[in-house]
């Protein structure tokens, strides 16, 4: 380990609901010798969190820092090689830490799902981060690691087969169980308020290529709006409905394509939906789920109903209980057709509540990947995505942590195509 910083990883927001989960994951899985610190506003609360993490964390330093205090953020960024933060809403509280990490040349990762915040981060910090060598990596949890890594692995599989570029690509959530935290709701409501108040924010939030590094260079592929209601999808041969995370995930994946010189293809069309199958009940289920999602969005946007829901839903710092986190799960498929006519299927699955148990694994492994695998990561800096900052190295770490990320070709290009490997791909690097 390099001795240029006091610490390898700092968890900022360690006293919050998700921050505690990430700290616990690192306490249980960080290799010996990795120097971890906990940061937040209250030394006393940080000490209480540390005391609950067991012997592995007993000597972890505690750093007092406040998102409203640039001096404390500069000290925090200067002390660590990697800062991971769970302090949101990010647009209201997060940009000062991004700036501090950029100035210090410190790698940064977060759990934001806020398009407006990421756009701000790109505009004010990307070029400076390239100059200092900092990797600023947003969306390192359930939004948007499964989407971003899944599509990258499909691209690598098709390239290894000489099967052409990715074209029509669709992520389908086939099963999901989990809860919600007060912090997530606060971020959602904050972005809703900003979109309602500003025509420019509405334009950015609605743009399918809102996070592109070069908007004018993006292809015109027709209507790429996210699915808004239940519909039968003839390509997928199933009834589908909206996926709540599509609005952030699709933009992150498109940014990954552009940052790699449109490596996935200039005709890469990407969408995300929830799948309900093709049985007799499928259209009813798809319609009901679509209606429930619309109702929830409307309820959180309307003042009186929001006030009522705020009394019933978790407050910031609260989230799903241990049983919900343990018994949750997600199962995702990504269907892709290439320019050579081959079809591929990606499978991404994990046990544990997607937004909390599984997300703590994703952010924890992101921190370790940035800290420990630096010499094997893509040679990039700036405001990046999980796929462009870490790519296959993070995928390998998540597989070792029990997540499934597999790719297989389902329509061979020719009779001579070799058989698939036991893990669902004939490419050793993808298994």
């Amino acid at each position: 380990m390099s001795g240029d910083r006091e610490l390898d990883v700092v968890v900022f927001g360690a006293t919050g609901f998700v921050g505690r989960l990430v700290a616990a994951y690192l306490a249980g899985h960080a290799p010996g010798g990795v120097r971890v610190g906990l940061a937040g506003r209250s030394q006393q609360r940080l000490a209480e969190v540390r005391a609950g993490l067991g012997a592995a964390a007993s000597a972890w330093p505690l750093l007092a820092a406040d998102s409203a205090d640039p001096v404390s953020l500069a000290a925090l960024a200067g002390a660590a090689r990697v800062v991971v933060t769970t302090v949101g809403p990010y647009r209201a509280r997060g940009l000062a830490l991004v700036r501090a990490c950029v100035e210090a040349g410190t790698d940064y990762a977060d759990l934001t799902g806020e398009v407006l915040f990421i756009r701000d981060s790109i505009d004010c910090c990307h070029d400076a981060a390239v100059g200092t060598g900092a990797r600023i990596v947003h969306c390192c949890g359930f939004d948007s690691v499964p989407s971003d890594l899944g599509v990258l692995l499909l691209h690598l599989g098709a390239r290894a087969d000489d099967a052409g570029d990715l074209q029509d690509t669709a992520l389908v959530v086939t099963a999901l169980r989990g809860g919600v935290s007060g912090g997530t709701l606060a971020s959602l409501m904050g972005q809703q308020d900003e979109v309602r108040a500003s025509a420019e924010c509405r334009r950015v939030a609605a743009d399918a290529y809102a996070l592109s590094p070069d908007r004018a260079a993006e292809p015109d592929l027709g209507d790429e709006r996210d699915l808004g209601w239940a519909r039968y999808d003839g390509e997928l041969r199933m009834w589908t409905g909206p996926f709540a995370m599509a609005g952030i995930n699709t933009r992150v994946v498109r940014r990954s394509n552009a940052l790699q010189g449109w490596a996935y293809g200039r005709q890469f069309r990407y969408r995300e939906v929830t799948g309900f199958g093709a049985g007799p009940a499928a259209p009813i289920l798809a319609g009901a789920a679509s209606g429930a999602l619309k109702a929830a969005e409307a309820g959180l946007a309307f003042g009186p109903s929001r006030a009522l829901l705020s009394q019933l839903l978790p407050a910031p710092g609260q989230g799903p209980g241990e049983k919900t986190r343990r018994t949750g799960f997600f199962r995702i498929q990504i269907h892709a057709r290439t320019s050579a006519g081959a079809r591929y299927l990606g499978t991404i699955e994990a046990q544990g509540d997607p937004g909390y148990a599984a997300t703590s694994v994703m952010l924890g492994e992101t921190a370790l990947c940035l800290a420990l695998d630096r010499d094997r990561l893509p040679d990039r800096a700036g405001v990046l995505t999980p796929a462009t900052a870490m790519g296959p190295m993070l995928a390998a770490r998540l597989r070792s942590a029990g997540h499934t990320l597999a790719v297989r070709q389902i329509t061979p290009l020719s009779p001579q195509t070799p058989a698939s490997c036991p893990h669902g791909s004939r490419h050793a690097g993808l298994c």
Side-chain angles (χ1 to χ4, degrees):
M1 301 294 297
S2 170
D4 62 339
R5 301 289 173 96
E6 175 189 350
L7 298 169
D8 299 307
V9 175
V10 168
V11 180
F12 181 49
T15 60
F17 182 74
V18 184
R20 294 194 303 272
L21 297 178
V22 175
Y25 182 81
L26 290 172
H29 297 86
V34 176
R35 303 161 297 174
V36 180
L38 304 179
R41 288 180 295 180
S42 168
Q43 287 268 0
Q44 179 179 345
R45 292 184 63 198
L46 288 170
E48 292 170 357
V49 170
R50 183 179 61 182
L53 297 177
S58 60
W60 284 2
L62 307 179
L63 294 82
D66 190 322
S67 58
D69 179 5
V71 173
S72 70
L73 297 180
L76 173 63
R81 302 172 73 200
V82 179
V83 172
V84 295
T85 173
T86 62
V87 178
Y90 289 91
R91 195 167 195 232
R93 302 179 182 178
L95 202 56
L97 179 59
V98 173
R99 287 196 178 102
C101 288
V102 168
E103 291 173 4
T106 299
D107 289 349
Y108 162 104
D110 66 26
L111 296 175
T112 188
E114 302 169 36
V115 171
L116 300 176
F117 166 67
I118 302 171
R119 187 67 255 177
D120 289 346
S121 175
I122 294 166
D123 292 341
C124 80
C125 295
H126 177 75
D127 291 343
V130 171
T132 64
R135 295 181 178 94
I136 305 301
V137 195
H138 300 298
C139 304
C140 295
F142 185 57
D143 46 345
S144 303
V145 166
S147 308
D148 206 28
L149 292 186
V151 173
L152 173 69
L153 296 178
L154 284 168
H155 157 67
L156 294 176
R159 186 178 68 181
D161 286 337
D162 196 22
D165 295 337
L166 300 183
Q167 292 190 338
D168 292 326
T169 304
L171 179 146
V172 182
V173 179
T174 60
L176 186 150
R177 178 190 295 165
V180 66
S181 75
T184 297
L185 292 170
S187 290
L188 172 63
M189 291 186 289
Q191 181 154 287
Q192 280 185 329
D193 292 343
E194 290 176 304
V195 166
R196 280 203 312 274
S198 164
E200 175 61 16
C201 288
R202 287 195 295 276
R203 183 195 66 77
V204 171
D207 185 359
Y209 293 94
L211 303 182
S212 174
D214 187 351
R215 183 63 182 87
E218 294 289 357
D220 182 2
L221 303 177
D223 186 358
E224 292 191 84
R225 287 177 297 178
D226 301 315
L227 183 64
W229 194 255
R231 67 181 286 266
Y232 182 78
D233 191 305
E235 181 77 14
L236 296 172
R237 298 182 182 179
M238 68 174 72
W239 280 90
T240 62
F243 175 41
M245 303 299 181
I248 180 62
N249 293 342
T250 55
R251 281 112 177 113
V252 169
V253 170
R254 293 183 188 115
R255 178 170 176 80
S256 292
N257 186 30
L259 286 174
Q260 298 173 89
W262 291 275
Y264 302 164
R266 297 290 298 181
Q267 299 298 310
F268 173 66
R269 290 178 56 88
Y270 182 67
R271 57 203 168 93
E272 295 193 353
V273 299
T274 302
F276 294 92
I284 299 172
L285 294 172
S290 300
L293 181 60
K294 291 291 186 185
E297 291 174 350
L300 291 173
F302 182 56
S305 58
R306 175 187 285 192
L308 177 61
L309 288 171
S310 296
Q311 298 178 22
L312 303 175
L313 296 171
Q318 299 177 340
E322 190 277 334
K323 181 178 180 181
T324 299
R325 299 197 304 270
R326 175 171 44 82
T327 59
F329 59 87
F330 69 87
R331 298 177 191 139
I332 289 171
Q333 294 182 341
I334 308 181
H335 301 255
R337 179 171 54 80
T338 75
S339 56
R343 291 182 179 272
Y344 284 79
L345 178 66
T347 303
I348 304 96
E349 299 178 353
Q351 185 65 33
D353 183 297
Y356 304 98
T359 281
S360 66
V361 176
M362 295 177 205
L363 186 58
E365 290 297 339
T366 291
L368 296 175
C369 190
L370 290 170
L372 304 181
D373 301 331
R374 300 170 75 88
D375 294 340
R376 292 176 285 177
L377 298 183
D379 185 19
R380 293 190 185 94
V383 178
L384 304 176
T385 61
T388 57
M390 296 164 286
M393 287 305 305
L394 180 57
R397 281 188 164 277
L398 291 175
R399 289 192 191 100
S400 295
H403 290 204
T404 297
L405 296 96
V407 170
R408 63 187 176 98
Q409 188 181 118
I410 55 177
T411 54
L413 291 176
S414 71
Q416 287 75 39
T417 302
S420 297
C421 78
H423 297 287
S425 171
R426 65 185 182 83
H427 309 294
L430 302 180
C431 294

